[in-house]
Every structure is written in structure tokens, then in C-alpha cells.
Amino acid sequence: MAIVYGGDYNPEQWPREVWDEDVRLMREAGVNRVSVGIFSWAKLEPEEGRFEFAWFDEVLDLLHAGGVEVCLATPTASPPPWFAASYPEALPVDAEGRRLTHGSRQGFDPSSDVYLAKALRITEQIARRYHDHPAVKLWHVHNEYGCHNARSHSPAATAKFRAWLRERYTDLDGLNEAWGTAFWSQAYSSWDQVFTPLPTPTIPNPAHVLDFKRFSSWQLTQLYRAEVEVLRSIDPDKPMTTNFMSGNHPDIDLWKFAEAVDIVANDHYLEGPDGHVNLGFAADFTRSLGGGAPWILMEHSTSAVNWQGRNRAKAPREMLRNSMAHLARGADAVMFFQWRASKQGAEKWHSGMVPHAGTDSKIWREVCELGARLGELAELEGSRVQADTAILWDYENLWAQEHEAKPTSDIDVMRIRDEYYGALWRAGITADVAHPENDLSAYRLVVVPAVYLMSEAAARNLKDYVRGGGTVLVTPYSGIVDETDTVYLGGYPGAISDLVGVRTEEFHPLIDETVRLASGGTGRIWSEAAEAKGAEVRDTYLDGTPAWTVNRFGEGTAHYLTTFVDEATLDRVVAAAAADAGVAPAAEAPAGVEVVRRAHRDGRSWLFCINHTETDAEVKTGTATVEVPAGEVVVHAETA
Ligand code: GAL
């Protein structure tokens, strides 16, 4: 029993003598597992068909002798230069139709059969050689699918996109209807006329673009499944996964992808001033993708990253707070990119567990401290996080909203999601993330943040949930179109007008202005000509138009906002919805102190108290008061 601790280990970047020191330092830091081989393709297969495994044997043996387990990667995210030179047709083609070149990573077209064949060959070689190596505990398939090459416009992609569409719509009538091609004379009379969405003179067909995003996501999932099939045929028992980017990466439908992995793994990097709040979302989403099961934090950073323009080094203790927050939200493994900070290459300015400065450093001391603290928390392994609130999030809605022609370009659905998640975070409410078609019956409160694209099934799901006694908090721009991006007619929000008890005739996006509310708050970005149809009106614009309504629906309650309100107003609305739903925070804590509970089925539970402020704080659990010094993390065992 142990919490897994470690990171990506890339020994090929270092001379042989460093490897011994690496293993010694890993032991010193309490590292018990590393991911190996992620970018080793060129060294394992320096020329096509010629494999060199001796050096890799040595790496795995050394790690094993040092008591460090291995998460063994297939190196297929970065094909070597020989691949690009021999098979230029297998390189990705961007949205302007340009074929990209070698010299970075992910230089392959996800639809290329040539790429797939080469990827499966190296995968098979590695599986045959190492499936019974005692260090290997888990397969790390590929790396961050679609991080750079999610959507390719190659001839191979065009052919596969057509096949995918035929499967989805059976015939062209189906496609023409779904895409609404009666508009602008776009009706297709032959499959050969259908291409990936390359540049057009003006606004492209939204349903066409949306389907291409669905296809591209599916295609990447197929690559994962193909590698897994090879691995499974040689090593049927070991778990397999790949590292997701659940925080902000928009291009892959992780709900669908998660069905294919044995255990969910995620990479998270802090972005923006409230990075620790987005961390919470990413962690909660990752946990939810696995149905609540413990998950692997496959990568985060000890300090700065190198890809944000201006890359902030983490403050003292910040890395500890970040790691513990992932653990609090259900991770059973805390890993970093990467073990040793590189001295060359595209990521030489990215922090590592062993920094450029060496072991006489803040980073190394915190790395060792974290290892020791995780060692003390072994008993937590397998415990779970309970949430009675959910926030809806799905990719098809996101993709539909990426389209350029819409009522306002000011609605950024990720920001809206983060705003509402942020309000839950401030209220101390632990949330799961749910797909709109998921069973919601386990939740007391469900937040619906700008779910513009809402399938009929999702709308039914939401209504059944509220009818049965649930509470929803719905933002504007929800329930507007179905899965083909076709508007629900008869007044907005057409899919759920009856649920919220409101009918809107026309949208009035706010152009460089705000709308004042009777309660004293303000609305931004959006307003609408809403009329209450049975809902109670809790707040209005100054002209009396409903701003916040509450509707009884069956046994439950639907809160609806017709604008995006300021933070204080949002906190009030969330508090009211939480009170209706009977949702309470895990403990009483001052602002900026994150509190999350993990518990075993047998009742043993721990309260993670993470103080993000510069002031010492007290967390009151009802039976105990936990002192949490400024910037520190206290894991309070609630049971003896
Ligand atoms: C991840 C990737 C790693 C490394 C890291 C840097 O996206 O998987 O290989 O590039 O980002 O932050």
C-alpha cells in the first residue's frame, strides 16, 4: 500500500554516469515509480526496423534494483526523423492545408495507416521485450494524444472522415439534413464532395465543423485502442492508460476516451491567477471520468513551465499545496514532468524534480518533503471523495460554441464553467463533473453552465432529475440547440423552457455595457427578453425583466439566470441554490482555505485543509478545530 510518487524519467538525455545518481536521488526523495520511454523512439529504433534495447534494459534493471517501479511508455508520440523522411505523406496537415515538418514532436497524421503500422511495430517490440520485466507495473500508452496534432486535414483524414460520416448518417440525405445544407446551397450529391473543413470564403457550416471535431477526437481514440490491442495480446493483465489533459485542452472528448482506459491519468499545469481553482476543476473532472475511482496525476510541475510566455516560478510551498490538492480530490499517484530538468532542447526552461541548480535548492528540499509526507499517507490509498454536487461539462457543447457566428463572441464557455466552478470552490462545496447525459440521481445540486448544445436526451435527463427532487442552477445560453446545432424553436431556452419556467423571445447581448439588477448586483455579457412562465422572480433588471428565477418542477427546483452576474451576486445565488438542495461544505473554513474529504468505505476519513492564504487559519469540522498555518497543508485524520 502506497501513494505513488515520481515523474517522467528521460535517461536518454543524460550520460550513463548520471543514471546511478538518479536512482540514488530517487530513493532519497521517496520516489517509488517513474514513467520511462515516452520520447525514446529514436533511440530504441534509430533506423527503421533496427532496434536497440540494451541501453533500455540497463535503465529498467537499474530502476528495479533501486526499488523504483516503472510505468512503461510506448514512444509513439514522437516519431524519429527517419519516419518523416521516408513517409512525408504521414505528416500532419494543418487547417490551412500546409503539411507540417519534422523537428518538434507529434509529427504524424493521426489518420495515417503508415504511422499506425510503424507505431504498432515499436509497441509490439517493446511489449515483447518487457512485458515480464519485474519493474513494469503499468503501460503508459503514447503521450497526451492530440496535444499538438489533434486535427489533421490530410488526404487520409479526408477519406476517413467520409467513412466516419457514412457510418454516422448512412446516406447523404441523412448528412444533408443533419448539416442543414439547404442553407447557402450546400447540399451534397456525392461523398467525394465532402472534405475536412479547410478555409472557406466566409462562415463555414457549423454542423460540418462540429462533426469534423467529433471525428478527429474519435480518430485519436482509435489510435489508443489499436496500441492497447497489441499490448493486451502480449501482456493481458497489466493496467493500461494514457495521460489526459482534463483542465483546459479542448480537442478530445475525454468522456468517450475514458471508456477505453483501465485507470484514468491526467496532466495538469497551473494557468492564470486562479490556477489552484482550475486545478480543483481538473482534478474533480479527472476523478469523475473514472466514475470516482482513484486516479493518477501523471504530470504536474515542481515550479515554472516553459510555454506560457511569462513563466512564473512557484512560491515556496505552492508545489506542496498543488500536489496535496490533487491527492485531496482523489489522486492515488503524484507525478511530475519531469525527474531531471533538461539542459537542452525545447523544454530546457521547464522545472523538474532535480532542478538545474541541483539538490541544494528549494525545489529539491520540497520534493523530498513531499515524498516523505506521501509516505505517511499510504493508508489513504483507495479512499474516495464524496460529492453531492455536480457541474455539467462536455466537449460537443464546447466545440459547437467555438464556431464564429453566434449571438456574442463574449461568451467563453470555459470561462463560464470556471466562474461557476469557482463559486462552488469558494463556498467549499466539493463537486463532481458530469456529462449532461449522465445519471444525476446521486446529486442534490447540478450546475448547468452555458450548455448551449443540449441533446434531447440530456434535456430529458435534466428534467427527470429535477422532477425527482433535484435542484439545478442554469445559466443563460443553455438548452438552445440539439446535437446537430439545430435551434429548438418556440422560445428560448427551447430544450428546457418548461423546466426553468421562463420563455425568452430575443437575446440582447451586452455591447460594452452592464445591466444593473434590482438587488444591487450587475449582469455582464448577456441579457435576454425573458418572461416568467410560472417561475418565481427573485431578481430583475431595473426595467423589471427577470434576472434570476426559481421554478418548482415536479419535486425539485430550477434556478435560472438570464445574465452573467458579478461574483458577489453569483455567490448569493449559489448559496441559495445550495440551501434549497441541502448541500453544505465539508467544514467551516475562512476564504482561501480549501477543504476536501477523502474516506474509505469502512468509515476512515481524512480532511485535507489547504491554506492558500498568507494568514494562519482555523478549520472547524464540527468536532475538532484544525490549525492550518499560512500556506500549509494539514491532513487531518477524522477517525482514530
Ligand atoms: C506535457 C507533456 C510533457 C511536457 C509537459 C511540459 O504536455 O506531456 O511531455 O511537454 O507538458 O509542461
Side-chain angles (χ1 to χ4, degrees):
M1 241 200 170
I3 300 296
V4 167
Y5 184 46
D8 286 13
Y9 180 40
N10 299 305
E12 64 270 46
Q13 296 177 14
W14 299 95
R16 171 66 186 82
E17 57 272 20
V18 175
W19 302 356
D20 298 306
E21 191 195 39
D22 283 333
V23 175
R24 184 178 61 73
L25 289 177
M26 285 173 194
R27 295 177 69 98
E28 186 179 319
V31 163
N32 53 23
R33 186 180 292 178
V34 291
S35 301
V36 193
I38 298 174
F39 296 108
S40 305
W41 194 345
K43 204 156 161 71
L44 291 170
E45 191 181 1
E47 288 172 65
E48 182 167 5
R50 182 168 67 78
F51 299 95
E52 282 188 3
F53 285 118
W55 71 277
F56 208 61
D57 296 350
E58 206 180 340
V59 171
L60 294 200
D61 293 348
L62 265 177
L63 289 166
H64 184 57
V68 179
E69 294 176 350
V70 166
C71 171
L72 186 53
T74 64
T76 54
S78 198
W82 59 253
F83 172 79
S86 304
Y87 310 103
E89 74 280 11
L91 289 164
V93 175
D94 74 5
E96 273 78 53
R98 295 174 306 178
R99 199 172 276 287
L100 306 182
T101 56
H102 184 74
S104 180
R105 66 175 174 184
Q106 289 196 346
F108 66 89
D109 168 17
S111 291
S112 162
D113 289 335
V114 177
Y115 164 74
L116 184 60
K118 308 303 165 201
L120 295 186
R121 186 175 54 188
I122 183 75
T123 296
E124 185 183 345
Q125 291 284 331
I126 291 173
R128 289 205 183 288
R129 191 155 185 114
Y130 299 112
H131 68 278
D132 56 1
H133 193 288
V136 178
K137 300 295 173 202
L138 174 79
W139 287 101
H140 178 307
V141 179
H142 199 88
N143 189 66
E144 290 190 342
Y145 276 95
C147 183
H148 317 295
N149 64 348
R151 293 173 190 150
S152 177
H153 296 258
S154 62
T158 306
K160 290 199 172 163
F161 182 41
R162 287 176 188 156
W164 182 87
L165 289 167
R166 285 179 104 127
E167 180 82 29
R168 185 174 174 89
Y169 296 115
T170 315
D171 54 28
L172 282 171
D173 288 346
L175 177 128
N176 282 317
E177 192 186 326
W179 288 8
T181 57
F183 186 79
W184 278 355
S185 188
Q186 291 173 349
Y188 293 92
S189 58
S190 156
W191 289 101
D192 302 339
Q193 298 158 3
V194 181
F195 289 88
T196 65
L198 283 160
T200 43
T202 184
I203 308 170
N205 180 310
H208 175 193
V209 177
L210 177 58
D211 267 348
F212 178 63
K213 292 173 179 174
R214 288 184 174 119
F215 156 76
S216 300
S217 172
W218 170 86
Q219 179 61 63
L220 290 164
T221 313
Q222 294 304 100
L223 292 182
Y224 173 82
R225 287 184 186 276
E227 283 196 31
V228 162
E229 202 179 308
V230 170
L231 293 171
R232 198 82 81 203
S233 69
I234 298 161
D235 192 359
D237 298 327
K238 253 175 234 113
M240 300 180 191
T241 191
T242 187
N243 41 347
F244 291 163
M245 297 165 282
S246 70
N248 285 327
H249 192 78
D251 294 345
I252 297 183
D253 187 335
L254 293 181
W255 289 112
K256 294 212 164 77
F257 209 135
E259 290 168 9
V261 301
D262 296 327
I263 175 166
V264 175
N266 196 50
D267 298 347
H268 184 266
Y269 292 95
L270 292 184
E271 285 183 80
D274 283 333
H276 60 283
V277 180
N278 174 264
L279 182 162
F281 172 81
D284 289 342
F285 184 21
T286 307
R287 178 184 72 245
S288 304
L289 287 167
W295 51 278
I296 297 172
L297 174 63
M298 195 64 96
E299 294 179 19
H300 69 316
S301 69
T302 56
S303 190
V305 300
N306 68 319
W307 42 266
Q308 287 177 353
R310 291 175 290 173
N311 297 293
R312 189 176 66 80
K314 288 190 181 177
R317 328 285 307 148
E318 189 175 359
M319 181 265 272
L320 282 159
R321 292 194 295 278
N322 296 160
S323 296
M324 288 296 195
H326 285 290
L327 196 71
R329 293 175 189 276
D332 267 2
V334 172
M335 303 180 76
F336 291 93
F337 175 83
Q338 59 178 332
W339 164 250
R340 199 179 266 279
S342 304
K343 62 178 180 174
Q344 289 182 302
E347 298 191 314
K348 62 179 177 295
W349 297 116
H350 197 291
S351 57
M353 297 173 82
V354 183
H356 289 162
T359 51
D360 184 9
S361 59
K362 165 205 107 183
I363 290 181
W364 179 251
R365 283 184 284 277
E366 287 195 10
V367 161
C368 293
E369 181 183 341
L370 177 59
R373 290 190 66 178
L374 294 178
E376 289 160 12
L377 295 174
E379 221 195 320
L380 261 93
E381 191 200 332
S383 62
R384 295 198 174 210
V385 177
Q386 290 302 328
D388 52 11
T389 296
I391 183 162
L392 301 188
W393 178 247
D394 80 286
Y395 291 86
E396 298 184 46
N397 173 46
L398 166 68
W399 295 336
Q401 293 196 48
E402 286 168 346
H403 197 263
E404 66 194 83
K406 49 194 174 187
T408 175
S409 54
D410 292 338
I411 293 187
D412 171 344
V413 62
M414 268 202 209
R415 262 191 51 203
I416 302 297
R417 173 202 77 188
D418 289 347
E419 236 171 75
Y420 275 73
Y421 179 84
L424 295 172
W425 195 99
R426 286 193 296 279
I429 296 171
T430 305
D432 280 349
V433 179
H435 187 280
E437 292 180 19
N438 276 4
D439 177 11
L440 302 172
S441 56
Y443 301 112
R444 290 168 180 269
L445 174 65
V446 172
V447 177
V448 185
V451 183
Y452 154 86
L453 183 152
M454 189 181 282
S455 67
E456 285 178 22
R460 251 194 328 271
N461 189 40
L462 220 50
K463 288 179 207 180
D464 287 346
Y465 163 70
V466 178
R467 217 176 263 122
T471 299
V472 284
L473 169 55
V474 183
T475 80
Y477 215 48
S478 297
I480 308 297
V481 301
D482 71 8
E483 60 265 49
T484 63
D485 205 5
T486 302
V487 176
Y488 290 108
L489 301 180
Y492 315 118
I496 49 168
S497 192
D498 53 344
L499 170 63
V500 297
V502 169
R503 178 173 178 271
T504 290
E505 272 182 44
E506 208 170 358
F507 300 142
H508 296 280
L510 299 171
I511 322 283
D512 297 328
E513 61 191 322
T514 55
V515 60
R516 289 186 50 212
L517 307 183
S519 62
T522 44
R524 301 142 35 235
I525 300 173
W526 187 263
S527 67
E528 54 188 61
E531 210 187 316
K533 295 281 186 189
E536 170 208 337
V537 179
R538 290 262 174 102
D539 200 355
T540 63
Y541 311 159
L542 294 186
D543 68 3
T545 304
W548 172 21
T549 58
V550 183
N551 194 40
R552 288 292 296 171
F553 188 80
E555 298 296 306
T557 307
H559 289 251
Y560 181 58
L561 290 163
T562 67
T563 181
F564 295 102
V565 294
D566 64 278
E567 195 172 294
T569 307
L570 181 56
D571 287 346
R572 260 194 306 117
V573 172
V574 165
D580 282 348
V583 166
E588 204 187 302
V593 179
E594 182 178 357
V595 183
V596 183
R597 177 175 288 108
R598 270 186 82 154
H600 278 297
R601 288 217 170 85
D602 63 13
R604 281 172 299 150
S605 70
W606 294 264
L607 211 57
F608 280 76
C609 307
I610 306 171
N611 188 347
H612 296 275
T613 77
E614 290 170 10
T615 318
D616 296 349
E618 285 186 348
V619 171
K620 300 203 167 96
T621 72
T623 51
T625 297
V626 185
E627 309 284 342
V628 195
E632 288 298 331
V633 180
V634 175
V635 183
H636 170 73
E638 296 187 291
T639 40

